[in-house]
Amino acid sequence: MHRRLQNVGLAMLSAGLCLAGVSSCRPAGGADASASGNDPEIWRFAIEESRGSVQHEYALEFKRRVEEKTGGAVQVKVYPYGTLGTSDHITELCHLGTIEFATASPGHLGKVIPEVQVFLLHFLLSDDQRTNHRALRDPDLHAALNELYRKKNFELLSVFSEGWQVWTTKTMIREPSDFDGFKMRVMTSPMLMEAYEAYGASPTPLPYSEVYSALQLNMIDGQVNPVFAIEKQSFYEVTDYMIFPRHAQFITTVTANRRFFEGLSPARRRMVNETIRELHEYVFEVQRRLNEERLALIKQRKPELNIVPELSDENRAKFRKASLHVRDEFVEMTGRDGERLLKRVLDAVEKAEQGQ
Ligand code: 6CS
C-alpha cells in the first residue's frame, strides 16, 4: 500500500478507537494521568492472534494481573487479531502510541527491526523447549534487543516461544528436494523468504488472515505455524500432511510504546515489569497445553490427515545443512548489530544448555 494512504488508514483507525468508546475513558499517560480523576486509565493491548490462542491467553492474564495490582485504577482492553487490522497495522499503532501494548512477532516485525529476524533462522535454538525458554529470558540478549527496539520507539518487554513450527502441506516433505517449486506461505519478513529459498521452495509472504483461503484456492501448497494456530485457523482442513521438522520455534515479542512506557511512574513501570516476569513461566505452560490439546482435536476431527511426528535424523541434517548459509545472509542484511545479536542468541542457548 502507498505509504501516504497507509497513514491515512491508520489515522482513521485511531479515530475509530475513540469512536469505539475508548475516548470516554481517561487516556493512558503514566504518573500524571494516574493521579487525577476517578475514571480508570485505559491501556490498550493488541495481539496478532484470535481469541483462544496463546497470545490471547497471555494478554488476558496480563489484564487480570494489572487490574488486580492497581485495584482497577488501570483497565486493560485487549484487541484480538482482526479488530485493529493485520500485524503490520498493530505494530504501526503501537509505534504511534495509539495503543500502548502489542505483540510483535519477528516474522512480521523484521520489516521494521531487521535484526529481530535472528529468531527466524532455522536450527538456531536448542532441540529442548525448556532450554529455549530459559535462553529467551537472558538479560544480555534482552538488553541488546531492547536497544534496537528503543531506536524505533518501542520498549521490549518480553520474548517467548509459542511452540514448534509445524508444516501443513498438500504434498509430503521429507527432504529439501521435496520443496522444489513448492509455494510455501511465510510471514512477511524478508528473512523467511531466504529461509525457504534455501530449501528450493518458492516462498509466498501473506498476512495471517489470508492463509486459509490461499490454501483453499491452491494459491499456495503449504504453510508453517504452531499446532494451536493450525487448529485455530483451521489450516489442517485445507492441507493433507502435518509435519514436525523441529527446525524452528514460533517466537514472539511483547512491546510497549516507548514514550508511554517511559512516562509511567517508577512504581507503575516496576509493576508492568514484574507482571511480565510472572507471565514468562505462565505462557510456557499455556503454549504447552494448547499445542497438546489442539493436536488431539485435529486428530479427532480429521483422522485421515497424515501426521509425520518427526523427520529422520538424516533428512533433518540435510535441512540443517541447507539452512546454514542463511545465517551469512542475515549478517549481510543486518550488519554488525545483527552479527552481535546472532552471537548473543547462540551464547544464551549455550548458557541455558549448561543450566546457567
Ligand atoms: O503466521 C502468522 O502470521 C501468525 N502466526 C502466529 C502463531 N501468530 C501471529 C502471526 O502473525
Side-chain angles (χ1 to χ4, degrees), residues 56-74:
H56 191 229
E57 292 220 5
Y58 183 97
L60 289 182
E61 190 61 18
F62 177 82
K63 169 184 167 67
R64 198 185 64 72
R65 292 185 192 214
V66 165
E67 291 179 357
E68 189 182 294
K69 287 177 191 185
T70 62
V74 172

Side-chain angles (χ1 to χ4, degrees), residues 218-237:
N218 287 322
M219 287 161 61
I220 50 173
D221 304 313
Q223 68 80 43
V224 50
N225 255 304
V227 172
F228 80 87
I230 291 168
E231 189 279 328
K232 196 74 223 146
Q233 303 302 119
S234 306
F235 297 148
Y236 67 94
E237 286 179 4

Side-chain angles (χ1 to χ4, degrees), residues 12-170:
M12 286 166 70
L13 263 176
S14 309
L17 274 175
C18 297
L19 291 174
V22 174
S23 58
S24 65
C25 302
R26 200 141 46 85
D32 292 340
S34 59
S36 65
N38 293 321
D39 287 344
E41 182 176 331
I42 302 294
W43 291 356
R44 304 162 191 96
F45 191 163
I47 54 170
E48 297 178 298
E49 293 170 5
S50 48
R51 288 181 176 81
S53 61
V54 173
Q55 291 182 12
H56 191 229
E57 292 220 5
Y58 183 97
L60 289 182
E61 190 61 18
F62 177 82
K63 169 184 167 67
R64 198 185 64 72
R65 292 185 192 214
V66 165
E67 291 179 357
E68 189 182 294
K69 287 177 191 185
T70 62
V74 172
Q75 284 188 5
V76 181
K77 187 156 173 38
V78 175
Y79 293 89
Y81 185 71
T83 52
L84 296 181
T86 64
S87 297
D88 292 347
H89 291 126
I90 294 168
T91 300
E92 184 86 19
L93 289 171
C94 191
H95 169 80
L96 293 170
T98 310
I99 58 174
E100 288 74 27
F101 297 91
T103 47
S105 301
H108 299 290
L109 185 67
K111 297 193 293 300
V112 181
I113 305 175
E115 296 84 355
V116 78
Q117 295 179 98
V118 69
F119 295 118
L120 305 177
L121 295 172
H122 292 179
F123 299 96
L124 185 71
L125 299 178
S126 166
D127 279 356
D128 177 57
Q129 281 231 66
R130 267 277 166 204
T131 302
N132 295 328
H133 181 65
R134 273 200 304 277
L136 294 174
R137 226 176 21 190
D138 184 273
D140 292 339
L141 174 61
H142 188 99
L145 265 173
N146 203 11
E147 240 177 71
L148 302 163
Y149 273 59
R150 284 182 176 155
K151 284 186 194 160
K152 299 285 162 76
N153 201 30
F154 294 105
E155 178 74 20
L156 173 68
L157 298 176
S158 183
V159 184
F160 63 83
S161 162
E162 299 188 34
W164 289 109
Q165 287 281 50
V166 176
W167 296 329
T168 60
T169 58
K170 289 173 190 269

Side-chain angles (χ1 to χ4, degrees), residues 53 98 121 134 154 199 219 246 256 264 275 284 298 317 346:
S53 61
T98 310
L121 295 172
R134 273 200 304 277
F154 294 105
Y199 302 147
M219 287 161 61
R246 282 184 297 113
L264 288 176
T275 307
F284 184 82
I298 292 173
L346 291 169

Side-chain angles (χ1 to χ4, degrees), residues 259-273:
R259 266 194 306 276
F260 155 78
F261 192 75
E262 288 177 350
L264 288 176
S265 68
R268 280 271 162 90
R269 225 177 302 146
R270 266 197 310 279
M271 183 273 294
V272 170
N273 282 329

